[in-house]
Amino acid sequence: MSEYDIVFAGAGHNNLVTAAYAARAGFRVLVLEGARRIGGNTTCEELTLPGFVHDPCATAHNLIQSNPLMRNNELQLDAYGLKYLYPDPVFTMPFVDGASITMWRDLDRTCAELARFSPRDAEAYRELLADWELMAPVVNGERASAPRPPDEVDSLTRESALGDEMLTIRRSTALDIIKQRFQEDHVRAFFAWIAFMTLHPLDEPETGLLAFSLVAGRQRFSWILPEGGSIRLPQALARVIEESGGTVLTSKPVVRIPVTDGRAVAVETADGSVYEAKRAIVSTLHVKHLGGLVGEDSLPDAYRAGIERWQPNLTMYATHYAMSEAPLFNTASGPMPSVTAGALESLEAYEAMLRGYRSGRVDLTEPVFLALTPTVIDPSRAPAGRHTFKVVSFLPYELAEGPDHWDRIKTEVSHQLFDRLARLSPNLSRSLVLAEHVDSPLDLERRNPANWRGSCHGGANAPEQSGWFRPVEGWSSYRTPIAGLYQNGACTHPGGSVSGLPGRNCAEVLLGDLGSSLGEAVARKDAARQ
């Protein structure tokens, strides 16, 4: 048995964030990861051919840029090999009818794109961004702290510069906001596609802010990605941990968290190793698996009932390609490569996608696409002159025939999706494909047990699973009902994507409980590097 102050179960980016702050604060830290490499859904693999570095799940790192971790450079991750790249154009969105809209880093240039379709919608975009600036302090403060009760959230919302209008926006659906603010069909599809990129169904209540926050984030930060691949973020965090005296171990699946007298005391891995935690254990393993690790009897009835009701988020279907050349996408300036391309024909096509998804059908009539070619800006990810290409669509885990049916149909579905996307490109064809790797929603669950039911974002962010209620009302402060055991990651506030906010928020609660603070951890950064 090995003894540490804090043992972390899982090395996704959120747990690594918490562990880095804890290590900087002077605690003896151990991080255990079941996979062969760290990162969870923020990692890299050579999925196709040697030398082609793919992001199996997350590629864009936009949301983390507003995190005080990055905004204030609290852990100096740039000194540990983390460098971000800012594509321009941000993304382009071609349509089957030959039209296209491109977002550029220059706001005026983006507005000029929109004005080709509707001068009024171009002005409405400026108004939307201005309104977001009035709402952002409230939203950013809410996301960067432990959840508050709903009545406090409403009160703070009313105190914003927009007052009751912000409360109305918060309670609206994103689709309603887009329909209210924009008139032209292509423009509406353009903004709906951006707002959908955290995979929250835009027809659900309390999604209205997504029509503001995600759009503003793309305009401000571009489709930002780390040079060398998504794993560069966890690698930088691991270096902070190790330089501060901590340890990170891979190929150590956690199989049990022993509980003695109501307190979590150790972590046991599949090889029989037991690691004692003197002060705390922090788990980023999925909440659906927690009972099996600690024993169902260790959890109160209300907590178990809350987890029983837990629902997954929408799921991704991804094909990764090694390409002989970069795909080109149609724009107003002619065909061009782009790090990111989107495809959504109309709001009606989006609503049809949701209907198919919810009924367990693979509807490929007009798929919603996210297409990524990181090598356009980051040639280090592939051999000279070659490219990585990821095509993501959004298809259900729960097929009418059952999830296992994906193993029989996934290759054919991938080929049909490729052909659909090729309509929007003058050069995209099978002749460019050197190798490919397909991940269905079922494969994503197999790849990472935290992707329960294929959801890379922990679970749905519907009102009953957000904020004060995530993961369960009464236990949304990153503490669990078991003394000394903390919950981290996408199943906690504010949810999935690469934000690092669950990790930093958890660190604030954890360190406070242990008599330290985030401020103390940050203050040690200069001393830690001497």
Side-chain angles (χ1 to χ4, degrees), residues 6 66 193 245 255 343 345-346 408 416 421 425 448 452 467 484 515 523:
I6 311 171
S66 297
W193 182 85
V255 296
E345 283 299 303
S346 64
R408 294 186 285 276
Q416 290 185 50
L421 185 62
S425 168
N448 183 352
W452 178 72

Side-chain angles (χ1 to χ4, degrees), residues 30 86 107 114 141 148 195 210 251 257 267 269 285 293 350 360 379 396 415 439:
L30 170 67
Y86 299 79
L107 174 59
L114 298 172
R148 298 180 176 93
L210 295 177
S251 300
I257 299 176
V267 173
T269 56
L285 309 180
L293 296 170
Y350 177 78
H415 290 167
D439 274 334

Side-chain angles (χ1 to χ4, degrees), residues 151-166:
D151 58 340
E152 288 188 25
V153 172
D154 287 354
S155 178
L156 289 169
T157 300
R158 287 192 175 98
E159 292 172 8
S160 75
L162 280 185
D164 285 346
E165 184 181 351
M166 181 177 175

Side-chain angles (χ1 to χ4, degrees), residues 354-378:
L354 289 181
R355 287 194 297 271
Y357 188 101
R358 288 162 175 160
S359 64
R361 292 184 292 109
V362 179
D363 185 352
L364 304 182
T365 306
E366 287 295 349
V368 181
F369 284 109
L370 165 64
L372 295 155
T373 318
T375 41
V376 169
I377 195 172
D378 184 6

